[in-house]
Amino acid sequence: MLIYPQVASVDVCGPLEPFGLANFLTGRRLYDPITASIDGAAVPVAGSFLKLEPTCCCEDLPDRIDLLLIAGGPGCFAAAEDERFTSWIRRLEPRCVRMGSVCTGSTVLLASGITNGHKIATHWLEAMRLQTDNAFSTQVEPDAIFIHSGKFWTSAGMLAGVDLALAVIEADHGRQLALDIARFMVLVMRRQSGQSQFSSQLMADATEDPRIRRVQLYIWENPRADLSLSRLAKRAAMSERSLGRRFKKVTNITISRYIEDVRLSLARRLLEASAQSIQAVADNAGFGTTATLRRVFERRLCVSPSVYKASFGPENAEAHDAIVNDDAMRMDLENVVNGKSVW
């Protein structure tokens, strides 16, 4: 992780944490996370009295770097104009298997001139600025949580760097480890669409089959859309029959059941986290009518949406989160003690 003065601490520590947890949960040294500044000196953190002490200077980085990320923060604009910093990025690029950025670190990455037209994710506010820049307007994807394009991995604002890290770990070591890390970090997904909802933990639930994965991600991102088999088959470039069979084979559930699972999950989060009416939740989750929403809730959860909202809605969130966190951690500890941990 390359850092510079006025970097955002969460852009540095957030994405590095999952890599450290990958080592901890597996008991193996899968990753060796380090930070580097140009000269190895400590850098002040934006908006606080803290300073980050880097592991090393750029000169001392190894000959082969598996993943180099550039952190974001208010200091990104000065870093993007600092030829010493951007020249180091260009010099390190041939030694990197993968490169990328977290949040507004994309601004520095783009300024280095090495992205060669690849699509880039960044904070939504920075995306608005970059889209007015003719040099980068076609590269920026303003709604993406993270993007993997060639050797480049880039993420949206701040905590989306954690999503990116989980996606990298999933690519390296499979879905299960990514899910274990997300669960250990007690991540809660409450995003509405794109940067406002989608998360790498949901990505980690998706199959590794690229065609089926494309369908799964479309369903997650567009729960209110026409999710008919014919429409999804076109998106997967498959026949309806082939899609239905393949989806069931790799996921062990039918497409219709998967759609219902996604919509139910979204409805539950909306009831837990928002003050929306039951009708609004039904609309936004893709059920359309309160009657349909109620039938699914009563069949799957044995409770009505209104009762669920009364039990787990915003007014009860603090108590509910404490119960969930306590139960999850107790189960984790019991599994570890009894030698039954999935890790």
Side-chain angles (χ1 to χ4, degrees):
M1 180 78 74
L2 291 185
I3 59 176
Y4 48 81
Q6 298 305 307
V7 72
S9 59
V10 70
D11 287 4
V12 179
C13 302
L16 292 182
E17 189 70 22
F19 295 111
L21 284 174
N23 296 342
F24 172 71
L25 296 181
T26 62
R28 293 181 290 151
R29 196 166 186 80
L30 301 179
Y31 298 100
D32 185 19
I34 63 174
T35 55
S37 64
I38 291 180
D39 55 5
V43 301
V45 171
S48 78
F49 57 89
L50 297 174
K51 285 189 175 183
L52 288 178
E53 188 78 32
T55 310
C56 64
C57 63
C58 288
E59 189 72 48
D60 293 333
L61 287 170
D63 292 336
R64 182 188 181 279
I65 302 170
D66 182 64
L67 172 64
L68 184 145
L69 293 173
I70 304 165
C76 70
F77 304 108
E81 295 177 355
D82 186 341
E83 179 58 27
R84 295 180 306 156
F85 200 84
T86 54
S87 65
W88 262 112
I89 295 173
R90 290 190 292 272
R91 290 164 62 185
L92 292 170
E93 189 272 332
R95 294 152 58 180
C96 298
V97 178
R98 296 176 288 195
M99 298 186 74
S101 58
V102 179
C103 194
T104 55
S106 59
T107 298
V108 190
L109 183 65
L110 288 167
S112 72
I114 64 171
T115 52
N116 297 322
H118 287 278
K119 291 294 185 180
I120 298 297
T122 188
H123 189 281
W124 60 269
L125 191 58
E126 179 63 358
M128 292 174 63
R129 188 188 72 83
L130 289 172
Q131 285 183 311
T132 64
D133 187 328
N134 292 331
F136 305 125
S137 60
T138 61
Q139 288 187 252
V140 179
E141 290 286 351
D143 197 43
I145 290 296
F146 68 85
I147 290 177
H148 174 203
S149 178
K151 72 185 294 183
F152 296 101
W153 294 71
T154 55
S155 79
M158 295 193 164
L159 292 179
V162 177
D163 295 76
L164 182 147
L166 288 172
V168 170
I169 292 168
E170 179 191 355
D172 290 346
H173 301 289
R175 296 194 309 276
Q176 189 58 57
L177 180 57
L179 284 168
D180 290 342
I181 294 169
R183 178 167 173 259
F184 191 87
M185 295 181 74
V186 198
L187 296 180
V188 178
M189 271 56 66
R190 289 177 176 170
R191 309 185 184 193
Q192 298 302 313
S193 64
Q195 289 202 41
S196 61
Q197 179 198 316
F198 203 59
S199 161
S200 183
Q201 186 175 348
L202 304 181
M203 289 286 291
D205 260 333
T207 178
E208 294 177 359
D209 184 307
R211 293 175 299 175
I212 303 305
R213 185 185 182 95
R214 191 182 310 132
V215 170
Q216 288 179 304
L217 302 187
Y218 180 77
I219 292 170
W220 270 110
E221 292 179 316
N222 303 277
R224 301 175 63 184
D226 175 6
L227 300 180
S228 62
L229 184 59
S230 60
R231 180 64 64 87
L232 295 176
K234 290 181 180 178
R235 182 161 292 274
M238 302 170 68
S239 69
E240 294 179 30
R241 186 176 183 182
S242 295
L243 175 60
R245 287 181 173 179
R246 183 63 182 166
F247 196 99
K248 178 67 179 297
K249 181 177 181 179
V250 300
T251 65
N252 294 318
I253 61 172
T254 64
I255 291 181
S256 59
R257 174 60 180 241
Y258 187 82
I259 293 171
E260 184 176 275
D261 285 348
V262 169
R263 287 172 169 167
L264 178 61
S265 178
L266 176 55
R268 291 176 67 176
R269 291 198 302 275
L270 290 175
L271 291 171
E272 292 167 0
S274 75
Q276 294 183 21
S277 67
I278 301 299
Q279 179 60 63
V281 170
D283 289 339
N284 292 326
F287 287 108
T289 67
T290 56
T292 303
L293 177 66
R294 183 169 56 253
R295 283 197 298 270
V296 173
F297 260 69
E298 291 177 347
R299 171 165 50 84
R300 299 286 298 275
L301 305 178
C302 298
V303 66
S304 70
S306 57
V307 171
Y308 187 92
K309 184 176 180 65
S311 300
F312 302 110
E315 64 275 13
N316 294 306
E318 183 176 347
H320 173 56
D321 288 346
I323 293 171
V324 171
N325 291 344
D326 182 62
D327 287 348
M329 186 58 69
R330 181 164 55 250
M331 183 171 64
D332 288 342
L333 293 175
E334 288 175 356
N335 283 338
V336 171
V337 171
N338 295 327
K340 299 179 180 178
S341 174
V342 297
W343 307 323

